[in-house]
Amino acid sequence: MQTQQDGIKRLSIVAGLAVVLVGAARTSAQPELANVAEAEAEMNPTPPSVERTPRRVKPEATPKAPSQQTPVERAPASPTPPGQTATPTPPATDPATPAAPLADPGEREWFGGLPIYRWSRATGDWGGARTWLEDRGIEFAASYTLDWSSVWDGGLVNEASTRTQFDANVTFDLETMVGLEGASVYLDFYSTDSRGGWEYVGDFQGTSNIQTGTNRDQIAELWFEQKAFDDRLRVKVGKIDANLEFGFPEIAGDFINSAAAYSPTSYRYMPTFPDPATGAVVFMHPTENVYVGGGFFDGAFATGRGTGYLGPDSLFEGNQFFWINEAGITWDPGDGASQSLGTGRIAAGWFYNSGDLERLDGSTEEGTGGLYAIAEQQLTRVGLDGVAPSDGEDPRGLHVFLQFGTADGGLSPAERHFAVGSVLKGMPLGRTYDSSGVYLTWADMSAEAGATENERTLEFYYRIEITPFIHLTPDIQYVINPSGAEDVDNALVGALRLEVAF
């Protein structure tokens, strides 16, 4: 009860400060192997301050190649707790995306204009100041996410706990500001508070994707991006969250389990939230539906350093680098085929860490890598409410996605990963902007990490739009063989997520 009261107090404080501290939000989460703690500690002497949480991916209205993504996420009508995807602005065709404030004062998102329950963000357009800044190339956004969860049965501890995250960012469109075509600068800050969570469950894949292990207050990302050749080439340099560029199923952004962000086989290596790292990303789009990209990052996290706290100096201090590449194909049947299959994507990638890594048996190996693949498809293009899509990019309808990953079981606690999920955007009875999803994820836990079983998790969520800027998500997860340990009972976890976009 005390943790719930603390969470509510924190929400009130943050809401009061949000008018000043504005930015955008996104999420993902990554746990450590809870039930083989001794083996994991020997393998990776990472202090609690660098526990991982893969960032969640903010789903686009249509699956797009990373090279098509825009640089920052405008405060969403379906706010995303700190996470994605790259940090993109959802296309205007997404029915859940707020339209730009209208010139008519009566339609402005401010007092005396639209009623507050119709605003896309809790702070509105600041009496026109926000719109004025955006017209001049300066865009602010922010969000707050509160997770409450309870291990109802099994697991390690049958208790309730909370996790919170406040995320704020600003994007400077240098083309609008100074005429530098295709260029932008992005700055992101977040503050997290974690009390309990997946350590109560004892699982590896992570039942809460905003958990950071210890409290964090840090500059998460700071990068410069340049687009050229009609956006067919995109280059980004600075402190970057790799999961916002690589390895994510775009439709999976509303799931709370961490594995929906990217394969847990790469948890030990990927420089992602809350430990982004200095690096560079290049994406090319030779045709409208084909993309290829690569990234080069400081790889120090794999040896226990919290790169989220580090600046660029760490990149040049040794030979610890993280490389990742991805190629994919997207498709869109276009307008006029409202009952047919919608957008889709298939992608594959590989990663490699060049450092001297400690294996789970205590020996040392120079460099290791892994593979991953993603497939996603919109099966229907009409929501259950019967509303026809406005064009080919309307996300309403039924989506499915698949994930696969593999890594060296002597170094990674998860040797192989398979997952399948389904998301329904647009619900009956007029709930046009609600969504629901079911997700099954399977991790082949490494015997060298002390696991004797495979971990499987089934998740179901229903995301409710209270107002365009407030969403509530009841969530249930059932974890079979947490961390692959024989002595931990299957866990039933109930959760409730509150998201507020400022």
Side-chain angles (χ1 to χ4, degrees):
M1 178 64 71
Q2 184 62 41
T3 58
Q4 298 177 47
Q5 293 174 348
D6 290 345
I8 294 172
K9 291 179 180 178
R10 248 191 268 22
L11 175 58
S12 300
I13 294 171
V14 172
L17 295 175
V19 174
V20 178
L21 300 175
V22 289
R26 23 191 99 82
T27 313
S28 276
Q30 186 227 324
E32 297 182 14
L33 187 58
N35 295 301
V36 288
E38 293 184 2
E40 179 74 339
E42 293 175 0
M43 176 276 291
N44 185 10
T46 302
S49 61
V50 289
E51 289 182 293
R52 299 296 299 282
T53 304
R55 219 162 173 47
R56 285 180 63 241
V57 173
K58 172 71 173 77
E60 295 269 3
T62 183
K64 288 187 176 182
S67 59
Q68 294 177 298
Q69 294 168 353
T70 49
V72 74
E73 179 176 34
R74 180 182 295 269
S78 68
T80 300
Q84 165 175 298
T85 162
T87 27
T89 303
T93 54
D94 185 339
T97 301
L102 302 177
D104 182 353
E107 293 296 311
R108 176 171 289 168
E109 292 185 7
W110 196 244
F111 302 105
L114 288 175
I116 191 170
Y117 62 84
R118 291 180 57 193
W119 293 5
S120 60
R121 296 163 288 200
T123 58
D125 72 352
W126 311 340
R130 188 174 207 156
T131 303
W132 185 89
L133 289 169
E134 290 174 355
D135 289 343
R136 286 154 182 80
I138 303 174
E139 184 172 351
F140 295 86
S143 74
Y144 177 84
T145 303
L146 167 66
D147 271 7
W148 172 92
S149 66
S150 179
V151 182
W152 290 335
D153 187 50
L156 297 178
V157 181
N158 293 157
E159 290 186 9
S161 58
T162 61
R163 290 147 303 285
T164 64
Q165 182 168 348
F166 175 74
D167 185 279
N169 71 38
V170 58
T171 302
F172 300 95
D173 181 349
L174 300 185
E175 182 174 354
T176 301
M177 296 178 68
V178 297
L180 186 56
E181 185 176 355
S184 62
V185 172
Y186 175 72
L187 173 65
D188 183 44
F189 165 85
Y190 50 68
S191 177
T192 70
D193 181 275
S194 291
R195 304 186 182 190
W198 31 260
E199 65 263 35
Y200 288 1
V201 182
D203 68 321
F204 175 73
Q205 297 181 86
T207 51
S208 175
N209 58 15
I210 65 167
Q211 184 163 339
T212 53
T214 57
N215 299 345
R216 294 283 187 118
D217 296 283
Q218 66 185 40
I219 299 298
E221 294 185 82
L222 175 59
W223 45 255
F224 169 81
E225 182 178 73
Q226 178 67 60
K227 297 178 180 180
F229 307 112
D230 293 327
D231 295 348
R232 291 189 180 275
L233 174 66
R234 181 170 63 90
V235 179
K236 182 185 289 187
V237 179
K239 190 174 183 181
I240 303 167
D241 189 322
N243 186 216
L244 304 189
E245 300 283 352
F246 302 95
F248 57 84
E250 296 193 28
I251 196 61
D254 291 334
F255 286 100
I256 295 179
N257 190 280
S258 299
Y262 68 100
S263 173
T265 55
S266 55
Y267 275 175
R268 186 180 175 187
Y269 317 105
M270 179 85 80
T272 186
F273 174 89
D275 285 294
T278 301
V281 169
V282 178
F283 271 94
M284 293 178 289
H285 213 270
T287 72
E288 182 178 356
N289 300 108
V290 175
Y291 72 90
V292 60
F296 169 77
F297 297 87
D298 178 2
F301 181 81
T303 56
R305 301 188 67 187
T307 53
Y309 294 112
L310 303 179
D313 290 349
S314 176
L315 178 66
F316 306 102
E317 290 177 353
N319 64 345
Q320 187 79 18
F321 305 119
F322 177 82
W323 303 82
I324 187 167
N325 294 278
E326 180 176 309
I329 300 174
T330 67
W331 53 88
D332 183 350
D335 302 347
S338 61
Q339 303 300 325
S340 71
L341 295 178
T343 56
R345 176 172 73 115
I346 186 168
W350 67 271
F351 63 87
Y352 181 80
N353 190 291
S354 65
D356 295 329
L357 303 171
E358 187 176 357
R359 295 180 61 87
L360 299 176
D361 62 7
S363 61
T364 300
E365 181 169 327
E366 182 178 354
T368 189
L371 305 171
Y372 66 87
I374 303 160
E376 48 191 332
Q377 176 65 57
Q378 184 175 5
L379 296 180
T380 67
R381 301 178 61 191
V382 178
L384 290 184
D385 58 1
V387 178
S390 58
D391 60 32
E393 294 188 348
D394 196 311
R396 286 174 295 183
L398 180 65
H399 303 252
V400 294
F401 65 94
L402 301 171
Q403 294 170 279
F404 168 76
T406 183
D408 184 349
L411 288 141
S412 172
E415 186 172 3
R416 283 178 292 274
H417 172 241
F418 300 92
V420 58
S422 177
V423 175
L424 183 60
K425 294 280 188 179
M427 304 300 290
L429 303 177
R431 303 301 304 173
T432 304
Y433 305 117
D434 289 0
S435 67
S436 65
V438 60
Y439 180 58
L440 176 62
T441 177
W442 178 88
D444 181 6
M445 306 303 297
S446 172
E448 294 191 45
T452 58
E453 303 288 345
N454 299 318
E455 179 183 284
R456 289 153 286 170
T457 300
L458 178 65
E459 176 183 8
F460 174 79
Y461 79 85
Y462 187 97
R463 190 167 186 261
I464 306 166
E465 180 182 276
I466 307 299
T467 73
F469 58 84
I470 299 177
H471 288 77
L472 195 64
T473 305
D475 182 274
I476 294 178
Q477 298 182 49
Y478 187 66
V479 184
I480 302 171
N481 301 324
S483 288
E486 288 183 335
D487 58 348
V488 180
D489 293 336
N490 298 343
L492 179 63
V493 183
L496 190 65
R497 167 167 288 178
L498 172 67
E499 303 165 87
V500 183
F502 298 109

